[in-house]
Amino acid sequence: MRQLFLDLFSAKQEAELSEILDKNSDIFNDDNWKPLGGTSNNYSIIENQQSSPIAALIEKITNSIDATLMKRCYEMGIDPKSTYAPQTMEEAVEMFFPNRNWDLQSNRRKQAEEIQIIADGPTNETAVIIYDNGEGQLPDKFENTFLSLVTGNKNEIPFVQGKYNMGGSGAIVFCGKNGYQLIGSKRYDKTGNFGFTLVRQHPLSKEEKQIKKNTWYEYLVIDGRIPSFPIDELDLKLHNRKFVSGTIIKLYSYQFGKRYGFAQELNQQLTEFLFEPALPILTKDTKERYPNNKVLETDLFGLKRRLEKEEEDYLQKTFVEEYEDDLFFGSKLVVTGYVFANKVKNYSVSESKKHIRERYFKNNMSVLFSMNGQVHGHYTTEFITQSLKFSLLKNHLLIHVDCTHLDYDFRKRLFMASRDRLKGGGETKALRGFLAKQLSKKGSILYELNQERKNSISFESGSTTELLKSFTKDIGMAPDLMRLLSQTFKLDFKDDAKKNKNSKEKKSQQEKEEVAFSPKRFPSFFNLKGKGTKNAISLPLNGENQIQFATDVEDNYFHRTDEPGELEVALISHRSSETKGGDREGTRTEISEVLNVHKSSPSNGTIRIHLNAEGKEVSVGDELEIKVSLNGSGPSFEEILMVRLAEPKQKKEKVPKKEEDFENPGLPEFQLVYKEEKEGFLSWEKANESLPSEMNAEMVMYPLAEGEQLEKIFINMDSNVLTRFKSKDKNINEKQKEARETKYISSIYFHTLFLYTITKNRKFSLVKKTEDGASENKDISEYLQDIFDSYYTEFIINFGDKDLIESLGE
């Protein structure tokens, strides 16, 4: 049996393994295979799991983390199902690894060797080996653990991630064409033999193909039992050790879709899905696969820690928002935002964008939803552009949503059992709306950052009024044109020059008000802002109130790994207006029973708390005494506040709309951009600091659309298209050049409006096929830019505007 296992383990790829099975047909005969999970109807269970090979591999790693924690629990003599066992994964790490100090490279690397992800086989057909020095299993327990499906063997153990043993089988479908997966294990306490089995997709015979709709997955037994043999140790080419106990799994010809060096490329891929794993992991490649690679082993400890380590080089801002809201039954949701800088290290702006995307967004996951540090679902950049309406942050924003502490009933409706994607139900939709509202509302950190980037590209804008008058006069279609545009744009009556002047004055005033902030590692004060000494706050029953505290602690105080602080909001008393005499305190003890509390991390010396009573059983006149505490390794502070519930705010009556005046419509501004700096105008370099796409000679225009609103059109005055248009005639004079520039500007501006209007009015959904054949949602800015960067611009500037508009009208 030993030699059989070693032969199977030594096979580098699927074809080699198939040869071994063919040569040993007496062992691998039809009688020695049993269906996985005890049922031959397992095809749909296994096939309908993780949708990507990386996500499926993550499930294997998660099982290894669970096994390592379980081993520690048993070694401490604790029944993992008892009340003495830790009740969360976080508690388990604290209890089982009290002296871990994994921030030190040597300590982290030593622990990482307990769970290893190792590459084998050729680079174009990689085999994956997953090893853990965890609890391991006896051979006669394989069928109830590794080979079971939806049995819930870990369902009563609160500190592990896995529950039903289903996720671990998801990787089988990515194992070549035959689903080969080799499993070997020995119990941590050295009892029993080393057991092993081979999993495969059952090869249907000709007769079976005629009567079976689907095949099934099965595992090897010999004489009805899991094959096994005694060992002291096995040399399985692990890093720095021999195999003594634990579990080792080999996935043959794993379908990654592209080549990966495990030490670096795969490490980054896994890191995106393991935002904050409970334990560090080692990824290992081999000299045979990459002889010139000097880094063959790298520890992996999650995207959060990597971002913290690289914060100075890559991040402009990090913030944390903590919500306790009636939407999720008063439980806690923690959102962390990472805003990347426009320029990082020694890269140019355009190089920085590309580098950031390649380093942190390999899987196009911009919003990560996690449980116990493992990503269970995500949104793409579409959430940033469409829900938040912050298109300038599209390529520079990563949001992590920690769902670990959410109410169980709410949380279970969010994620699929495969733990790699969100469900499409009501809770998921409600949570999306909640996040969009909270993160994008005026005054939020993201709102202010987006405004900053807008201001950085706010130079002299062209007069849309004069351009419109000139254009409509030439084609004689003002009423028809305005009716078309008014279907999409909210036409206002602001004067362009006045608008630009006000914008500049506002920006100038903001710059004057900015005061240098010198943060400290620990706070030296914590004071309520703007309330004097009364500390009394009025809260409308249907509204929200923001409380601000002044402090001098650094912005990352709440989310840093080393010596973090915490902001606590607690209910001291609740005096109900409905109580006789009004002098008796209510019985409620948790603030989540009476208020929704949204807490923000420090930002330039200010900590914000938002309170509202939506969905709570409180009444006008109720008085809530609350305590706000700032605690940490440094000094602690507290403030006592009185919150009084006031009458609901009256809704403002809608002001009747004025009749539209087509003489001065509030259409989007256009802004001219030149290659080099030119007084009063944007340069390519300046524009590229904020725009999601790179302004260069190939780009004609970029429409800045935030959500449903087209705000500004950036027109490139040094594009190749304009250069060719101006040089059509060799003897052209300056006046003719100016006329052609005007033609170019007006054509691009109005055709952008037309295409935007038609796309929005017809409610088109924009989807583009990627190089690998997948479908990718595109926002309207990308769509319009792509159109103008092709031959479309050449066409419209050489075509009669009146004829073209009339053809559009038809």
Side-chain angles (χ1 to χ4, degrees), residues 73-266:
C73 189
Y74 286 127
E75 287 178 335
M76 293 181 69
I78 300 173
D79 180 355
K81 298 180 181 180
S82 71
T83 56
Y84 298 102
Q87 298 304 296
T88 67
M89 188 172 280
E90 186 178 5
E91 288 179 12
V93 174
E94 292 288 337
M95 181 184 292
F96 301 152
F97 301 92
N99 303 311
R100 51 193 179 277
N101 200 10
W102 292 333
D103 288 331
L104 292 177
Q105 172 72 22
S106 57
N107 291 0
R108 185 170 66 250
R109 176 59 68 92
K110 183 178 179 181
Q111 178 60 42
E113 291 175 6
E114 299 287 289
I115 301 174
Q116 300 183 23
I117 315 299
I118 306 169
D120 196 18
T123 57
N124 64 341
E125 198 175 342
T126 301
V128 184
I129 298 169
I130 303 106
Y131 156 79
D132 68 71
N133 188 19
E135 62 171 318
Q137 298 295 334
L138 295 168
D140 60 3
K141 297 293 185 182
F142 271 40
E143 292 178 327
N144 295 323
T145 53
F146 301 124
L147 307 172
S148 65
L149 294 172
V150 295
T151 57
N153 55 72
K154 294 189 284 187
N155 204 29
E156 298 177 22
I157 303 171
F159 61 84
V160 297
Q161 184 84 301
K163 298 297 179 186
Y164 302 107
N165 200 46
M166 184 170 65
S169 61
I172 299 173
V173 300
F174 297 105
C175 293
K177 298 178 180 178
N178 300 306
Y180 288 136
Q181 175 182 263
L182 181 66
I183 305 173
S185 189
K186 183 178 170 94
R187 191 69 175 165
Y188 76 96
D189 56 6
K190 312 299 189 298
T191 58
N193 286 344
F194 174 86
F196 72 94
T197 187
L198 180 69
V199 177
R200 71 172 185 183
Q201 183 184 118
H202 174 77
L204 291 173
S205 64
K206 289 183 179 180
E207 293 77 13
E208 288 173 330
K209 287 179 181 178
Q210 294 177 356
I211 60 174
K212 295 283 186 180
K213 290 183 178 180
N214 290 312
T215 184
W216 61 90
Y217 290 90
E218 57 192 11
Y219 61 92
L220 176 70
V221 293
I222 298 179
D223 297 328
R225 304 185 65 179
I226 297 296
S228 65
F229 55 91
I231 65 164
D232 292 322
E233 63 181 28
L234 288 171
D235 185 0
L236 301 179
K237 298 182 180 179
L238 302 175
H239 184 68
N240 277 350
R241 64 181 61 198
K242 302 287 180 65
F243 181 94
V244 177
S245 65
T247 298
I248 192 158
I249 297 172
K250 187 165 186 177
L251 311 172
Y252 298 88
S253 300
Y254 202 67
Q255 298 173 19
F256 282 115
K258 61 171 76 173
R259 299 185 184 190
Y260 287 119
F262 274 38
Q264 292 159 324
E265 290 91 344
L266 183 67

Side-chain angles (χ1 to χ4, degrees), residues 561-580:
T561 301
D562 187 27
E563 299 180 310
E566 183 180 13
L567 185 72
E568 295 182 347
V569 182
L571 179 67
I572 298 175
S573 66
H574 171 207
R575 295 182 179 88
S576 174
S577 61
E578 298 177 359
T579 305
K580 291 181 180 179

Side-chain angles (χ1 to χ4, degrees), residues 498-513:
K498 184 178 179 181
K499 184 164 56 175
N500 290 334
K501 181 181 177 182
N502 291 340
S503 178
K504 287 181 180 179
E505 289 176 353
K506 186 177 180 181
K507 182 180 178 182
S508 176
Q509 185 179 354
Q510 288 174 343
E511 288 172 352
K512 288 179 182 178
E513 291 175 354

Side-chain angles (χ1 to χ4, degrees), residues 774-792:
S775 295
E776 183 179 7
N777 289 327
K778 290 291 181 181
D779 61 52
I780 196 164
S781 293
E782 294 174 302
Y783 162 68
L784 293 176
Q785 179 203 327
D786 193 42
I787 286 178
F788 278 87
D789 288 354
S790 62
Y791 294 107
Y792 186 70

Side-chain angles (χ1 to χ4, degrees), residues 788-805:
F788 278 87
D789 288 354
S790 62
Y791 294 107
Y792 186 70
T793 308
E794 303 265 14
F795 170 70
I796 61 174
I797 61 178
N798 290 286
F799 198 97
D801 290 322
K802 183 174 181 179
D803 294 335
L804 185 56
I805 297 215

